[in-house]
Amino acid sequence: GQQVMQIPQYQHVQEGEDFTTYCNSSTTLSNIQWYKQRPGGHPVFLIQLVKSGEVKKQKRLTFQFGEAKKNSSLHITATQTTDVGTYFCWSSGNTGKLIFGQGTTLQVKP
Amino acid sequence: SAVISQKPSRDICQRGTSLTIQCQVDSQVTMMFWYRQQPGQSLTLIATANQGSEATYESGFVIDKFPISRPNLTFSTLTVSNMSPEDSSIYLCSVLVGSGELFFGEGSRLTVL
């Protein structure tokens, strides 16, 4: 079945370093969304990407959707301790099936 | 946007019992979902709660184990039946709003002894 693979599973960085997580699909995605889940919290919507090659920025966060609409990335510049959490990609795929990536857990050392 | 009230927030239950989780939304929504999240894991879709009809279950989840009600467009319940320790998890309800965003309840942390 359709899967969305997300890597890495964990990332430990020093505060101020950059961080990137990637989502890859075996099939074309109609759109992709990114969510952040703080420890002990619930997922919160960050952004939605729809167009091929789309790039969106939110302050230190940069989101990209691949040209083939099969992959996406979230990049954080100069991480801060407030960035700690698990980042998930989510897509409805091209079959309407709702799929979450496995998540990347980010730890930031002050 | 949508504000979701989910309860209980946590519970400790005995093996063999059942627990019903409630999800109340502050606005009418068409698409409502129930997810399970085990510690350190991603979210797994249990089912789509359909208003006025039977829920649509994902592979590996069945109605007898996870009966779902959706009497109207603002409310749903998920029951975890005949619980075992393997059912210990966080259960989250979620709604899809018109902009395409998912909003989540705070989650119900279930521990089965």
Side-chain angles (χ1 to χ4, degrees), chain B residues 3 5-6 16 21-22 32-33 39 42 59 65 74-76 86 97 101 105:
Chain B
V3 176
S5 173
Q6 186 176 337
I21 302 166
Q22 298 181 1
M32 184 180 285
F33 310 100
S42 185
S59 177
K65 176 66 176 178
T74 64
F75 184 78
S76 178
E86 292 72 34
V97 299
E101 297 174 35

Side-chain angles (χ1 to χ4, degrees), chain B residues 35-108:
Chain B
Y35 284 90
R36 183 171 73 183
Q37 186 176 33
Q38 295 180 317
Q41 302 295 315
S42 185
L43 293 90
T44 301
L45 181 64
I46 297 171
T48 301
N50 301 309
Q51 191 264 330
S53 65
E54 190 173 290
T56 304
Y57 289 85
E58 297 299 308
S59 177
F61 298 96
V62 295
I63 189 171
D64 289 347
K65 176 66 176 178
F66 298 100
I68 289 171
S69 79
R70 180 96 190 266
N72 55 56
L73 292 176
T74 64
F75 184 78
S76 178
T77 66
L78 167 74
T79 299
V80 186
S81 303
N82 188 25
M83 289 183 286
S84 66
E86 292 72 34
D87 295 321
S88 298
S89 189
I90 299 172
Y91 294 85
L92 298 113
C93 72
S94 173
V95 300
L96 188 67
V97 299
S99 60
E101 297 174 35
L102 279 176
F103 285 85
F104 286 85
E106 297 288 334
S108 300

Side-chain angles (χ1 to χ4, degrees), chain A residues 7-45:
Chain A
I7 56 171
Q9 187 175 3
Y10 299 101
Q11 186 82 58
H12 294 245
V13 300
Q14 197 72 39
E15 189 172 23
E17 292 181 338
D18 292 356
F19 160 78
T20 305
T21 174
Y22 302 89
C23 275
N24 300 297
S25 171
S26 56
T27 58
T28 303
L29 303 172
S30 57
N31 61 66
I32 195 157
Q33 298 181 5
W34 287 92
Y35 290 78
K36 178 183 179 181
Q37 186 174 23
R38 294 182 186 275
H42 60 277
V44 174
F45 174 83

